[in-house]
Amino acid sequence: MLEARHISVNRGGTLVVRDLSLAARPGEMLGLIGPNGAGKTSVLRALAGLDPIAAGTITYGGRTADEIGRRVLGRTLAYLPQNGRIHWPLPVEEVVALGRLPHGAASVDDAVERAMDAVELAPLRRRSAGTLSGGERARLLLARALAVEAPALLADEPVAALDPYHQLQVMELLRATARAGTAVVAVLHDLTLAARFCDRIALMKDGRLIAEGPPAAVLTADRVGEAYGVTVERGEIGGEPFILPWRRHDRAPDRKEPEA
Amino acid sequence: MTASPLSHKALIATLCVGVAVLLIASVAVGYAPLDLGAAIADLAAGRQTLPALVLAELRLPRAILGAAVGFSLGITGAALQGLMRNPLADPGVVGVSGAAALGAVVAFYFGFSSAFALALPLGGLIGAGLSTAFLLTLAGRGAGTATLILAGVALSSLSGALTALALNLAPSPYAALEVVFWLMGSLSDRSLAHVALALPFMAVGWALVLTTGRALDALTLGEDAAASLGFPLRRVRLLVIGGTAMAVGASVAVAGAIGFVGLVVPHLMRPFVGHRPGRLLLASGLAGAALTLGADIAVRLIPTRPELKLGVVTALIGAPFFLALLRHLKVDGE
């Protein structure tokens, strides 16, 4: 289990995350949502061990990053950055195989095959990554993260660059990954996708967690209105919820000045 | 351009054979006729004959330095392009080449080089060492890649300005001309003492850079993804910058500035290694050695007096070649 207790993150002298506690459990998909600037990416980066925390503790199966060591941490969690890039035009399968680096060599093994099959990129395995469309590239980067086969997967806006078909595909895939025993944390902006696919939602605003729980309990009109400054239309199709942001409030939601 | 089906081992073996052939050719080619067989026999037997002396004092050091300097430029060019994820990075970008050149020019300017022969390369090594210490201090304090590049650019500019100042204040036009010629890069008249001075630094530099292959592969995905895969980026920067500074600083100290090898060779080799930055290191080093040896053989075969400078030939070959490569890069949409 990936657990943050009372963490604060300081960026450039500003507290961008304040006293936040969160747990990602194996087999569960946690959606991290909130307006721009709420601190979602900062939380994810701290969970991934990329940025130091100013206060609190983060543990991975009960141990801190220092206790685990950088190398083992690379196998313990997979991190999919926002707007990830592939800087050299490697063949698709070799990009996916980079996910095996924490396990030794970056060779095309069974885990790489599983990851490519999951995102339906196996037919393009020899294609240069430089020739892929934006959506294909996003799926390739997800496959690279899946290939780590880590107990925890942290994905920062994994569907941001995708068309509706592939948004649904990626969300189904993330949920299936969670069902297979991985603790999945995904930063999301689409409230319907968050409501439909996440087991729990953590709603952030101004660096704080303002609500956490099952989607139906967190994504209420009041809370969404408070966080985002919009009214929402809600409903159900086939027993599954949808939430549409419908109208902006007359004025933007109060945003606290960050504390130094 | 896409990856060639050539396996990596086959590629490395082919390059090794190519370098070996060019090494032999470099030893065989020269202005004075030399019976190579007799020279080797005399040298092996310890006879101080003229052919043995020509071989030991002129041909061998020149060939070894050609291979070592080329290897240094090729491998560090590949490492820097991988670290910075920028196809235009080359060993000059970290500023060590300029600082090494300045060190040599200072040795020349103050007359140390006329006092003893190795003052010039020693001056170069001191210049490279000081600039390396500066860069490593920055990297050790956690400076990012962009900061290191900017620091390198500043170092290059400062070294260039001070070199220009030395030329400006040169006591005679002949002294200035000699400095300019030295700066053009050459391997002629180097001795085994030059090899002994530079090779240990180069070898340590290569070793440091070669340890970063897997991290450079991971950096294909950017710094955050590479760090999440367990690679300590600060250490990787230290290894690449430190290794580059040692290898290239020593190269410039003994051979002057030899341009374009570090920039062009990684581009040449990238399609043959499936664009993997880690695999590119050794391949680029060997191809750099081959290119530099080939250019240095050409220098001796082209009948001009004075002899063409090696740096001039590599730039004359490299620049048009690089332009052609850029066309390919555009087509590939890189």
Side-chain angles (χ1 to χ4, degrees), chain B residues 17-44:
Chain B
V17 171
V19 170
V21 168
L22 285 162
L23 263 173
I24 294 166
S26 179
V27 170
V29 171
Y31 298 112
L34 178 72
D35 181 345
L36 203 54
I40 292 170
D42 287 349
L43 192 62

Side-chain angles (χ1 to χ4, degrees), chain A residues 2 29-33 40-41 44-45 47-48 77-83 138 141-142 144-146 152-160 170-171 174 183-189:
Chain A
L2 178 54
M29 179 148 160
L30 173 67
L32 197 53
I33 66 167
K40 306 179 294 294
T41 294
L44 210 66
R45 290 179 59 86
L47 291 176
L77 59 87
Y79 175 68
L80 180 63
Q82 190 179 348
N83 305 322
L141 288 169
L142 174 61
R144 195 285 301 165
L146 291 173
L153 170 63
L154 311 177
D156 198 351
E157 298 195 29
V159 295
V170 165
M171 293 306 292
L174 289 175
V184 177
V185 184
V187 169
L188 297 167
H189 272 304

Side-chain angles (χ1 to χ4, degrees), chain A:
Chain A
M1 186 164 78
L2 178 54
E3 192 169 12
R5 278 189 211 146
H6 303 292
I7 62 163
S8 294
V9 177
N10 191 325
R11 182 165 290 172
T14 302
L15 273 181
V16 291
V17 177
R18 281 173 280 182
D19 193 27
L20 180 137
S21 296
L22 204 60
R25 301 177 191 118
E28 190 180 71
M29 179 148 160
L30 173 67
L32 197 53
I33 66 167
N36 293 333
K40 306 179 294 294
T41 294
S42 297
V43 170
L44 210 66
R45 290 179 59 86
L47 291 176
L50 294 173
D51 288 337
I53 48 176
T57 54
I58 295 175
T59 52
Y60 310 85
R63 296 194 299 162
T64 65
D66 285 342
E67 287 165 355
I68 291 177
R70 193 189 297 267
R71 276 178 187 248
V72 178
L73 190 62
R75 298 197 288 268
T76 305
L77 59 87
Y79 175 68
L80 180 63
Q82 190 179 348
N83 305 322
R85 285 188 62 191
I86 303 162
H87 290 274
W88 305 109
L90 270 62
V92 163
E93 64 181 3
E94 295 218 13
V95 174
V96 180
L98 293 176
R100 301 307 291 165
L101 278 169
H103 299 272
S107 52
V108 179
D109 58 13
D110 289 348
V112 172
E113 298 292 348
R114 282 192 289 275
M116 282 195 296
D117 285 341
V119 299
E120 296 175 2
L121 277 179
L124 305 183
R125 58 191 312 143
R126 306 243 185 263
R127 274 264 296 274
S128 158
T131 65
L132 299 182
S133 70
E136 287 166 341
R137 195 159 53 242
R139 283 187 287 141
L140 171 57
L141 288 169
L142 174 61
R144 195 285 301 165
L146 291 173
V148 181
E149 297 201 335
L153 170 63
L154 311 177
D156 198 351
E157 298 195 29
V159 295
L162 298 177
D163 61 34
Y165 175 91
H166 290 110
Q167 285 188 14
L168 291 172
Q169 182 195 31
V170 165
M171 293 306 292
E172 286 164 7
L173 191 59
L174 289 175
R175 185 164 61 184
T177 305
R179 292 290 174 267
T182 305
V184 177
V185 184
V187 169
L188 297 167
H189 272 304
D190 187 307
L191 300 177
T192 297
L193 291 179
R196 278 187 68 193
F197 289 96
C198 294
D199 300 299
R200 278 186 308 129
I201 300 280
L203 175 59
M204 287 185 70
K205 189 190 173 199
D206 299 327
R208 293 182 192 280
L209 193 63
I210 60 171
E212 195 221 331
V218 173
L219 294 172
T220 62
D222 285 350
R223 284 202 168 120
V224 172
E226 178 196 346
Y228 290 92
V230 295
T231 58
V232 292
E233 294 294 327
R234 304 163 56 92
E236 272 191 11
I237 299 173
E240 291 197 86
F242 68 83
I243 303 171
L244 297 175
W246 201 250
R247 233 178 268 289
R248 288 189 293 123
H249 287 176
D250 290 339
R251 60 191 188 88
D254 289 336
R255 186 140 179 229
K256 288 187 186 124
E257 282 303 309
E259 289 168 11

Side-chain angles (χ1 to χ4, degrees), chain B residues 130-255:
Chain B
L130 289 175
S131 58
T132 306
F134 169 69
L135 288 170
L136 290 182
T137 308
L138 271 184
R141 284 182 186 165
T145 304
T147 309
L148 289 171
I149 298 175
L150 289 175
V153 170
L155 260 181
S156 277
S157 303
L158 182 64
S159 309
L162 290 172
T163 304
L165 179 70
L167 287 172
N168 194 170
L169 298 177
S172 73
Y174 300 107
L177 200 62
E178 221 166 321
V179 171
V180 169
F181 269 166
W182 186 86
L183 287 173
M184 286 177 183
S186 172
L187 292 170
S188 66
D189 303 326
R190 291 341 188 234
S191 66
L192 283 174
H194 286 90
V195 176
L197 193 66
L199 204 54
F201 289 101
M202 290 181 183
V204 173
W206 304 339
L208 294 180
V209 168
L210 279 169
T211 61
T212 63
R214 278 161 26 101
L216 295 178
D217 281 346
L219 275 168
T220 298
L221 300 165
E223 295 198 346
D224 284 344
S228 78
L229 287 166
F231 292 98
L233 295 188
R234 185 183 292 196
R235 190 158 163 263
V236 173
R237 281 187 209 109
L238 277 170
L239 287 167
V240 172
I241 301 284
T244 297
M246 291 182 85
V248 175
S251 297
V252 175
V254 289

Side-chain angles (χ1 to χ4, degrees), chain B residues 45-118:
Chain B
R47 286 190 291 272
Q48 297 276 318
T49 60
L50 186 63
L53 280 175
V54 168
L55 180 64
E57 294 300 320
L58 294 173
R59 301 284 179 86
L60 267 180
R62 184 166 189 158
I64 293 169
L65 280 181
V69 166
F71 192 91
S72 297
L73 295 172
I75 193 173
T76 58
L80 286 168
Q81 289 180 11
L83 179 72
M84 296 169 185
R85 302 172 308 285
N86 185 334
L88 295 177
D90 86 336
V93 90
V94 291
V96 178
S97 308
L102 175 65
V105 168
V106 166
F108 194 87
Y109 185 78
F110 288 105
F112 300 135
S113 59
S114 48
F116 76 112
L118 290 178

